[in-house]
Amino acid sequence: MKAPEKTSTTKEEEVQSPPCMLQWWRRWTVLVAAIWIQAFTGTNFDFSAYSSDMKSSMGVSQSRLNYMAVASDLGKALGWSSGYAVAYFPLSAVLFSAAAMGLVGYGVQWLSIAVDVIHLPYSLVLVCCSLAGLSICWFNTVCFVLCVRHFVSNHSLALSLVVSFNGISAALYTLGHEVISGKSSASSEVYLLLNSLIPLFVSLLALWPVLTNPNSSPTHRSSHDDETRIFIVFNVLALITCFYLLLPSSGTYLASSPRWHFLGAICLLIFPLCVPFLHYILHSCFGHHRTSAYSVVNIEEPNIPKRVGLDPEEINESYKVGRLGDEHSLGMLVRSLEFWLYYFSYCFGGTIGLVYSNNLGQISQSLGQSSSNAKSLVTLFSAFSFLGRLLSSAPDFTRKKLYYLTRTAWFTISLLPTPLAFFLLAYSSKTALLQVATALIGLSSGFVFAAAVSVTSDLFGRNSVGVNQNILITNIPIGSLFYGYMAGSVYDKHATPSVVSDTVVCVGRRCYFATFLLWGCLSVVGLVCSLILFIRTRPVYHQLAQNRN
């Protein structure tokens, strides 16, 4: 009788024993691959670094230059197609399709503008910008799917961490430009070449982790607490990376050497591969083989439980409208008041920040600053956007301590710096205030961009996040067109012909004063919409919290 008991105990220990180190490490390489993809595919954020030179070389007005930024954002209006592509094609195919779009979109512009190999009419340049913008959406969808598939119980932490690295793209590309062209070089066309080639190279590096099938992954997953510890380490490393990228303004030796500075940034992006490996070794040495740490996690859908005691007709009507937390189709989405509050909060918050970053080159130029100062502003915006994206994980780390602050409450708080920054810019054009305002807008918009993915997942369904998130960001091309047209019209109205070229240049506070004032008022409207959204969704988040417990 004792022998069978011993055999049974042995089998139970085998079932609950920790997964092998290679399988455990391989699962986390998927997250690191998604981080790499996001870090090098935010190519639209470096537009302002080379926009002034592009405007001069093409001989276009500020309005026509803004249309190029709008065209890039217009590609995101078709971003929903990536959600359907994931449903019918392997992730690797979607990944390389995105890389191919970027290669053509930016590569053709480089051939036309930089080396003058081919001559493109303005309309085809707009098409190339749209194709490049669409590639970013496809890259983002690949990362969303990787996080949701591989980190089901901690998908919000994975999403906020991964999306945060999209904010450092501009800083990384600025460092890459300085390595190739030199720190004082005025040649900005290199950005187009880097934008076309680097995402393809990173896609090749990320191919092996992307091909990892979650169904073939080990059945023994880490507990929620163990995963959270690793995510905390990842966030600390990301924070270190953020401050490291601010070194160009510190005057240190490392900052004065772009090659070593860029190499250090690459090392910081590679180091996360070691974190799960080190955690596994520490757990094996000091964890005394606790079976609970690596036991199987019972994962439940974070949806609101079905209500009982309802009539069949009421249940059918509830299903048609869709409860928050359930999976939402397109029809259910557009009939939801919460979605439109969310839509306009994003449009009057994060989208305005994106358009501001696209105009940083001209804003800096209008205030009489050099091109190097403009690139420093781009790096500043990028670093604080990265910091804002990191802070978007705060709801997950403070959920038990600050239960009254839901994810939509954090979303509302994140919109507060935007109107303050624009009113500061309208009040004064001092360099110090320009830097402070740029940092505030970058912080706010970065939080919005990263938090929006988790909010979409919470309110409208985790499995539909790839499609619904791309439906949400259709506000970007609409807002970009409106904000860009307004800014360009005000700029051209006060501009004078340039002595050096045929383009028109505006210098002085009047170039953007009215624009900053109106953007500030619109961002207040977005803040109000977000506050109403928080009030309406607070019961939903409390119910979700009870489900987790």
Side-chain angles (χ1 to χ4, degrees):
M1 296 296 293
K2 293 183 179 179
E5 291 179 2
K6 187 175 182 180
T7 304
S8 176
T9 304
T10 304
K11 289 182 179 179
E12 185 178 354
E13 289 177 354
E14 289 178 0
V15 172
Q16 294 185 354
S17 61
C20 74
M21 190 187 325
L22 181 60
Q23 291 175 322
W24 168 249
W25 177 76
R26 185 180 178 185
R27 179 165 171 260
W28 287 93
T29 60
V30 177
L31 185 69
V32 178
I35 287 174
W36 291 350
I37 293 171
Q38 285 288 294
F40 288 100
T41 58
T43 50
N44 57 326
F45 290 110
D46 63 11
F47 176 77
S48 55
Y50 60 87
S51 59
S52 296
D53 292 337
M54 178 180 284
K55 174 184 175 182
S56 177
S57 62
M58 294 182 65
V60 296
S61 64
Q62 181 63 28
S63 297
R64 288 170 71 86
L65 180 68
N66 278 333
Y67 290 147
M68 295 176 65
V70 171
S72 178
D73 295 331
L74 191 61
K76 297 174 183 178
L78 299 175
W80 52 266
S81 60
S82 60
Y84 292 102
V86 168
Y88 294 101
F89 299 99
L91 272 184
S92 56
V94 179
L95 177 65
F96 281 100
S97 297
M101 293 178 195
L103 180 65
V104 174
Y106 288 112
V108 172
Q109 290 183 70
W110 179 74
L111 290 174
S112 174
I113 298 172
V115 295
D116 201 21
V117 172
I118 57 177
H119 178 70
L120 285 182
Y122 179 75
S123 58
L124 288 183
V125 174
L126 295 181
V127 172
C128 290
C129 291
S130 298
L131 190 62
L134 180 60
S135 72
I136 298 172
C137 290
W138 281 52
F139 278 125
N140 291 342
T141 300
V142 170
C143 295
F144 299 161
V145 172
L146 287 174
C147 292
V148 171
R149 284 183 182 178
H150 291 260
F151 298 91
V152 185
S153 59
N154 278 308
H155 70 281
S156 295
L157 282 175
L159 286 171
S160 59
L161 174 68
V162 166
V163 174
S164 67
F165 277 87
N166 197 242
I168 66 171
S169 293
L172 289 174
Y173 278 98
T174 299
L175 281 176
H177 172 269
E178 291 176 354
V179 170
I180 295 175
S181 302
K183 195 166 184 178
S184 60
S185 174
S187 176
S188 298
E189 294 85 359
V190 176
Y191 280 100
L192 292 172
L193 181 63
L194 294 176
N195 287 351
S196 63
L197 295 179
I198 289 184
L200 177 61
F201 177 71
V202 173
S203 298
L204 289 171
L205 291 178
L207 179 61
W208 179 72
V210 169
L211 290 175
T212 299
N213 186 355
N215 295 326
S216 64
S217 297
T219 56
H220 311 83
R221 296 179 180 177
S222 67
S223 67
H224 182 86
D225 292 338
D226 281 299
E227 283 191 353
T228 303
R229 292 189 194 100
I230 297 182
F231 275 114
I232 290 174
V233 177
F234 270 62
N235 277 272
V236 171
L237 288 174
L239 194 62
I240 293 173
T241 305
C242 173
F243 287 107
Y244 177 84
L245 291 172
L246 289 174
L247 281 178
S249 58
S250 64
T252 62
Y253 171 77
L254 183 63
S256 62
S257 176
R259 183 174 301 176
W260 287 105
H261 195 188
F262 183 74
L263 183 61
I266 297 300
C267 290
L268 286 173
L269 291 174
I270 294 175
F271 185 73
L273 286 173
C274 306
V275 173
F277 179 76
L278 295 174
H279 179 273
Y280 187 94
I281 293 177
L282 291 174
H283 178 271
S284 300
C285 295
F286 304 104
H288 304 294
H289 301 288
R290 292 172 298 177
T291 57
S292 61
Y294 289 88
S295 59
V296 179
V297 179
N298 184 19
I299 300 164
E300 297 179 356
E301 292 293 331
N303 293 339
I304 301 174
K306 294 182 179 179
R307 292 170 288 182
V308 295
L310 298 179
D311 296 332
E313 295 181 359
E314 189 176 353
I315 294 176
N316 291 335
E317 184 65 24
S318 175
Y319 176 76
K320 291 178 182 179
V321 176
R323 297 189 303 272
L324 294 179
D326 292 336
E327 299 294 331
H328 277 60
S329 63
L330 176 60
M332 296 162 62
L333 204 65
V334 297
R335 291 196 298 270
S336 171
L337 174 61
E338 287 77 12
F339 170 74
W340 290 110
L341 289 171
Y342 182 34
Y343 190 90
F344 287 113
S345 300
Y346 195 112
C347 184
F348 296 144
T351 300
I352 288 184
L354 177 62
V355 177
Y356 172 79
S357 69
N358 289 337
N359 282 267
L360 264 179
Q362 284 67 51
I363 292 173
S364 176
Q365 185 184 51
S366 69
L367 298 178
Q369 299 190 22
S370 62
S371 59
S372 61
N373 288 336
K375 292 175 183 177
S376 297
L377 286 175
V378 172
T379 300
L380 183 68
F381 182 91
S382 177
F384 275 87
S385 175
F386 184 27
L387 181 60
R389 290 165 189 256
L390 283 179
L391 292 176
S392 67
S393 61
D396 296 285
F397 290 116
T398 60
R399 187 163 49 204
K400 294 182 180 179
K401 297 180 180 179
L402 302 175
Y403 65 93
Y404 50 89
L405 280 181
T406 65
R407 201 182 298 277
T408 47
W410 285 98
F411 192 89
T412 303
I413 294 172
S414 72
L415 293 177
L416 284 172
T418 302
L420 175 63
F422 282 125
F423 291 140
L424 276 177
L425 288 170
Y427 172 75
S428 176
S429 60
K430 293 181 179 179
T431 303
L433 285 180
L434 176 61
Q435 293 174 343
V436 170
T438 299
L440 287 175
I441 296 172
L443 187 72
S444 176
S445 60
F447 193 106
V448 170
F449 292 147
V453 183
S454 296
V455 172
T456 303
S457 174
D458 290 343
L459 298 183
F460 308 113
R462 184 179 64 201
N463 296 328
S464 307
V465 66
V467 175
N468 290 342
Q469 179 65 16
N470 282 301
I471 293 173
L472 170 70
I473 63 174
T474 55
N475 76 83
I476 293 180
I478 297 173
S480 181
L481 177 62
F482 173 68
Y483 304 140
Y485 174 78
M486 179 183 61
S489 299
V490 174
Y491 183 96
D492 290 337
K493 180 180 179 181
H494 297 96
T496 56
S498 174
V499 179
V500 181
S501 62
D502 296 332
T503 59
V504 290
V505 178
C506 182
V507 178
R509 284 185 58 195
R510 65 186 186 280
C511 303
Y512 283 95
F513 173 77
T515 300
F516 291 150
L517 210 56
L518 184 55
W519 283 358
C521 294
L522 289 174
S523 59
V524 172
V525 176
L527 180 62
V528 173
C529 291
S530 180
L531 181 61
I532 299 173
L533 177 68
F534 157 62
I535 296 172
R536 292 183 61 88
T537 58
R538 189 176 181 182
V540 179
Y541 273 98
H542 287 170
Q543 185 65 60
L544 290 175
Q546 292 178 6
N547 291 351
R548 294 188 185 99
N549 299 331

PDB file of all heavy atoms in Angstrom, residues 359-371:
ATOM      1  N   ASN A 359       5.708  69.024 -34.842  1.00  0.00           N
ATOM      2  CA  ASN A 359       6.002  70.434 -35.137  1.00  0.00           C
ATOM      3  C   ASN A 359       7.175  70.993 -34.335  1.00  0.00           C
ATOM      4  O   ASN A 359       7.443  72.192 -34.405  1.00  0.00           O
ATOM      5  CB  ASN A 359       4.756  71.289 -34.864  1.00  0.00           C
ATOM      6  CG  ASN A 359       3.721  71.200 -35.959  1.00  0.00           C
ATOM      7  OD1 ASN A 359       3.703  72.004 -36.892  1.00  0.00           O
ATOM      8  ND2 ASN A 359       2.849  70.207 -35.858  1.00  0.00           N
ATOM      9  N   LEU A 360       7.845  70.135 -33.564  1.00  0.00           N
ATOM     10  CA  LEU A 360       8.931  70.624 -32.713  1.00  0.00           C
ATOM     11  C   LEU A 360      10.035  71.311 -33.501  1.00  0.00           C
ATOM     12  O   LEU A 360      10.623  72.298 -33.047  1.00  0.00           O
ATOM     13  CB  LEU A 360       9.524  69.455 -31.903  1.00  0.00           C
ATOM     14  CG  LEU A 360       8.984  69.260 -30.488  1.00  0.00           C
ATOM     15  CD1 LEU A 360       9.637  68.055 -29.831  1.00  0.00           C
ATOM     16  CD2 LEU A 360       9.224  70.514 -29.656  1.00  0.00           C
ATOM     17  N   GLY A 361      10.346  70.780 -34.679  1.00  0.00           N
ATOM     18  CA  GLY A 361      11.394  71.384 -35.495  1.00  0.00           C
ATOM     19  C   GLY A 361      11.073  72.819 -35.870  1.00  0.00           C
ATOM     20  O   GLY A 361      11.915  73.725 -35.737  1.00  0.00           O
ATOM     21  N   GLN A 362       9.829  73.063 -36.325  1.00  0.00           N
ATOM     22  CA  GLN A 362       9.429  74.406 -36.724  1.00  0.00           C
ATOM     23  C   GLN A 362       9.212  75.306 -35.513  1.00  0.00           C
ATOM     24  O   GLN A 362       9.463  76.505 -35.578  1.00  0.00           O
ATOM     25  CB  GLN A 362       8.147  74.340 -37.564  1.00  0.00           C
ATOM     26  CG  GLN A 362       8.371  73.876 -38.991  1.00  0.00           C
ATOM     27  CD  GLN A 362       8.815  72.425 -39.056  1.00  0.00           C
ATOM     28  OE1 GLN A 362       8.176  71.547 -38.467  1.00  0.00           O
ATOM     29  NE2 GLN A 362       9.909  72.158 -39.746  1.00  0.00           N
ATOM     30  N   ILE A 363       8.722  74.738 -34.400  1.00  0.00           N
ATOM     31  CA  ILE A 363       8.554  75.531 -33.185  1.00  0.00           C
ATOM     32  C   ILE A 363       9.907  76.040 -32.702  1.00  0.00           C
ATOM     33  O   ILE A 363      10.070  77.220 -32.355  1.00  0.00           O
ATOM     34  CB  ILE A 363       7.863  74.691 -32.090  1.00  0.00           C
ATOM     35  CG1 ILE A 363       6.419  74.394 -32.486  1.00  0.00           C
ATOM     36  CG2 ILE A 363       7.896  75.420 -30.749  1.00  0.00           C
ATOM     37  CD1 ILE A 363       5.706  73.429 -31.554  1.00  0.00           C
ATOM     38  N   SER A 364      10.889  75.154 -32.685  1.00  0.00           N
ATOM     39  CA  SER A 364      12.235  75.541 -32.273  1.00  0.00           C
ATOM     40  C   SER A 364      12.821  76.574 -33.224  1.00  0.00           C
ATOM     41  O   SER A 364      13.441  77.561 -32.802  1.00  0.00           O
ATOM     42  CB  SER A 364      13.133  74.303 -32.214  1.00  0.00           C
ATOM     43  OG  SER A 364      14.458  74.643 -31.905  1.00  0.00           O
ATOM     44  N   GLN A 365      12.610  76.371 -34.522  1.00  0.00           N
ATOM     45  CA  GLN A 365      13.137  77.303 -35.520  1.00  0.00           C
ATOM     46  C   GLN A 365      12.480  78.678 -35.397  1.00  0.00           C
ATOM     47  O   GLN A 365      13.141  79.710 -35.536  1.00  0.00           O
ATOM     48  CB  GLN A 365      12.903  76.733 -36.916  1.00  0.00           C
ATOM     49  CG  GLN A 365      13.512  77.548 -38.039  1.00  0.00           C
ATOM     50  CD  GLN A 365      13.152  76.982 -39.408  1.00  0.00           C
ATOM     51  OE1 GLN A 365      11.977  76.732 -39.696  1.00  0.00           O
ATOM     52  NE2 GLN A 365      14.156  76.753 -40.241  1.00  0.00           N
ATOM     53  N   SER A 366      11.180  78.703 -35.114  1.00  0.00           N
ATOM     54  CA  SER A 366      10.469  79.982 -34.995  1.00  0.00           C
ATOM     55  C   SER A 366      10.946  80.786 -33.801  1.00  0.00           C
ATOM     56  O   SER A 366      10.823  82.016 -33.787  1.00  0.00           O
ATOM     57  CB  SER A 366       8.961  79.736 -34.886  1.00  0.00           C
ATOM     58  OG  SER A 366       8.641  79.124 -33.652  1.00  0.00           O
ATOM     59  N   LEU A 367      11.503  80.104 -32.801  1.00  0.00           N
ATOM     60  CA  LEU A 367      12.026  80.791 -31.619  1.00  0.00           C
ATOM     61  C   LEU A 367      13.512  81.092 -31.744  1.00  0.00           C
ATOM     62  O   LEU A 367      14.171  81.452 -30.763  1.00  0.00           O
ATOM     63  CB  LEU A 367      11.762  79.954 -30.368  1.00  0.00           C
ATOM     64  CG  LEU A 367      10.280  79.712 -30.046  1.00  0.00           C
ATOM     65  CD1 LEU A 367      10.138  78.825 -28.825  1.00  0.00           C
ATOM     66  CD2 LEU A 367       9.551  81.033 -29.836  1.00  0.00           C
ATOM     67  N   GLY A 368      14.057  80.926 -32.962  1.00  0.00           N
ATOM     68  CA  GLY A 368      15.433  81.298 -33.234  1.00  0.00           C
ATOM     69  C   GLY A 368      16.470  80.322 -32.739  1.00  0.00           C
ATOM     70  O   GLY A 368      17.643  80.691 -32.562  1.00  0.00           O
ATOM     71  N   GLN A 369      16.098  79.058 -32.508  1.00  0.00           N
ATOM     72  CA  GLN A 369      17.048  78.069 -32.020  1.00  0.00           C
ATOM     73  C   GLN A 369      17.632  77.279 -33.180  1.00  0.00           C
ATOM     74  O   GLN A 369      17.031  77.161 -34.243  1.00  0.00           O
ATOM     75  CB  GLN A 369      16.377  77.131 -31.020  1.00  0.00           C
ATOM     76  CG  GLN A 369      15.832  77.858 -29.797  1.00  0.00           C
ATOM     77  CD  GLN A 369      15.396  76.904 -28.711  1.00  0.00           C
ATOM     78  OE1 GLN A 369      15.837  75.765 -28.667  1.00  0.00           O
ATOM     79  NE2 GLN A 369      14.526  77.370 -27.819  1.00  0.00           N
ATOM     80  N   SER A 370      18.817  76.719 -32.956  1.00  0.00           N
ATOM     81  CA  SER A 370      19.526  75.982 -34.002  1.00  0.00           C
ATOM     82  C   SER A 370      18.929  74.591 -34.170  1.00  0.00           C
ATOM     83  O   SER A 370      18.113  74.134 -33.373  1.00  0.00           O
ATOM     84  CB  SER A 370      21.012  75.863 -33.653  1.00  0.00           C
ATOM     85  OG  SER A 370      21.180  75.133 -32.445  1.00  0.00           O
ATOM     86  N   SER A 371      19.383  73.905 -35.237  1.00  0.00           N
ATOM     87  CA  SER A 371      18.889  72.560 -35.498  1.00  0.00           C
ATOM     88  C   SER A 371      19.326  71.573 -34.412  1.00  0.00           C
ATOM     89  O   SER A 371      18.618  70.614 -34.101  1.00  0.00           O
ATOM     90  CB  SER A 371      19.379  72.071 -36.868  1.00  0.00           C
ATOM     91  OG  SER A 371      20.801  72.066 -36.921  1.00  0.00           O
TER      92      SER A 371
END
